Amino acid sequence: MAHRTLPRPERSSPDQSPPDRSRPTPSRPERPRPVLHARPPRKLRMPRAQHLVHGFVWTMVAFDLLVLAWMALSSFKTAREIFATPFGLPESWQLENWARAWEVGDFGPALVRTLVVVAATAVGTVAVAAPAAYALSRFGARSAAPMTSFLAMGLGIPVQAIMLPLFVAMSQIGLVNSLSGLILVYIATSVPFAVFFLTAFFRSLSAELEEAAALDGASPWRTFWQIMLPLARSGIVTLVILNVIGHWSEGMLALIFLQDPQQQTLSLALLGFMSRVQFSGADWGGLFAAIGLVVLPLLLVYLWLGRRIIEGMTLGSGK
């Protein structure tokens, strides 16, 4: 057999030096990438819509402030100045308009009755809605979701649709023309929103504290009263403030269920003063002062607790 001989590698001559790898090798120039004109993101087109929304909101705020300033200035003017210079300063500040409205309209006793009705309604609404909302948000019963939906449906029922049967039912049990009957009506109409609001708030709270309390032997009622209710303080305070604002100047149900002039609230006192002005003379300055007596306490409450309302309404959704 013939043996094959493999070719030997050629030896480099001593004159030839190995290639220097330390030198950088020339690289090819990179081709410029084509610039793609992509559509701008959606966020870049939002400021225009935001400016429109902000402009609309500030326009409404400016309009409300203008109406408020016009009402305040008119309460210190005479009837002639109100029509002659509606937005001008009064020539002489008629402070007696406020005193006359307070005395003629009988706003002192009406203010006391309104405070009693509003406070009792707020306390009664929280006393009914807080345990119900806690039970619907924590207890895993099958009827919890349908019951929550049923209470939420009550928000869509207008009060005008139930006034007549409600008046008949209240008259049969002797609660017409009394503050206690009006308080019960206010509580009944406020419970659907209160339960709906507090249910979402209780669901946002952590359940670890409830489990720890159950391990320590606390009953569900004690857990609710001593642990969960203090944690829901922000939501309850917000609910109380909204309830007070909603019932402070309510006049439709009060006009139906309070027919005795000795039981009238602020809204009915304002309505009675307006009827006296129309029949006795054009006391427009006193009328604007009477409106200020009803609006001013509510405005002060909102200026004092407006930030608390916003914090309470957004706290539950942020957790």
Side-chain angles (χ1 to χ4, degrees):
M1 293 179 64
H3 296 282
R4 295 181 179 179
T5 58
L6 298 175
R8 296 180 178 181
E10 297 181 359
R11 295 181 178 180
S12 59
S13 60
D15 297 337
Q16 295 179 353
S17 59
D20 190 4
R21 296 182 179 180
S22 62
R23 297 178 181 179
T25 57
S27 59
R28 295 181 179 180
E30 296 182 357
R31 295 181 180 180
R33 296 180 179 180
V35 179
L36 299 178
H37 298 281
R39 296 180 61 184
R42 195 179 185 87
K43 294 182 179 180
L44 297 178
R45 294 186 298 222
M46 286 299 294
R48 182 178 298 178
Q50 290 180 355
H51 289 322
L52 293 176
V53 173
H54 291 170
F56 176 76
V57 170
W58 283 111
T59 301
M60 297 300 296
V61 170
F63 177 76
D64 293 339
L65 292 177
L66 181 63
V67 172
L68 186 62
W70 174 67
M71 183 194 70
L73 290 176
S74 299
S75 64
F76 294 100
K77 295 180 180 180
T78 61
R80 183 186 59 83
E81 290 178 342
I82 291 175
F83 293 98
T85 56
F87 296 102
L89 294 176
E91 297 178 0
S92 61
W93 297 83
Q94 303 292 327
L95 298 178
E96 59 270 13
N97 290 341
W98 292 76
R100 185 171 60 255
W102 181 268
E103 295 176 1
V104 176
D106 199 15
F107 282 98
L111 178 61
V112 175
R113 287 189 288 268
T114 302
L115 289 174
V116 172
V117 171
V118 168
T121 301
V123 173
T125 301
V126 173
V128 174
Y134 177 71
L136 292 176
S137 63
R138 283 296 189 261
F139 300 156
R142 293 183 178 180
S143 60
M147 184 64 67
T148 305
S149 302
F150 178 75
L151 290 172
M153 289 174 57
L155 299 174
I157 300 176
V159 182
Q160 295 83 356
I162 61 175
M163 284 192 305
L164 184 58
L166 190 61
F167 179 81
V168 173
M170 296 293 287
S171 62
Q172 291 179 355
I173 59 178
L175 290 178
V176 174
N177 202 20
S178 65
L179 295 180
S180 58
L182 183 64
I183 292 171
L184 290 177
V185 172
Y186 282 167
I187 292 175
T189 55
S190 302
V191 162
F193 172 75
V195 173
F196 182 76
F197 179 78
L198 291 180
T199 300
F201 200 89
F202 277 118
R203 284 176 180 172
S204 65
L205 300 179
S206 177
E208 296 178 357
L209 294 177
E210 294 176 293
E211 297 175 357
L215 292 176
D216 292 338
S219 61
W221 174 254
R222 184 180 178 185
T223 302
F224 164 73
W225 183 256
Q226 295 185 356
I227 298 177
M228 303 308 295
L229 195 62
L231 290 177
R233 182 175 61 253
S234 298
I236 293 175
V237 171
T238 303
L239 178 62
V240 169
I241 297 171
L242 293 176
N243 197 286
V244 169
I245 292 175
H247 293 109
W248 179 264
S249 57
E250 198 281 327
M252 183 175 59
L253 293 176
L255 181 62
I256 295 174
F257 290 94
L258 296 179
Q259 301 174 358
D260 187 2
Q262 301 298 325
Q263 298 290 335
Q264 63 183 1
T265 56
L266 274 177
S267 57
L268 299 183
L270 177 61
L271 185 61
F273 184 80
M274 186 182 302
S275 61
R276 294 190 189 98
V277 168
Q278 292 177 352
F279 288 104
S280 60
D283 188 9
W284 298 106
L287 178 59
F288 281 108
I291 296 174
L293 290 173
V294 178
V295 175
L296 185 60
L298 204 61
L299 181 62
L300 294 178
V301 169
Y302 185 79
L303 292 177
W304 179 34
L305 300 173
R307 183 175 298 180
R308 189 66 178 269
I309 297 174
I310 299 174
E311 290 178 357
M313 295 186 68
T314 57
L315 184 61
S317 60
K319 289 186 177 182

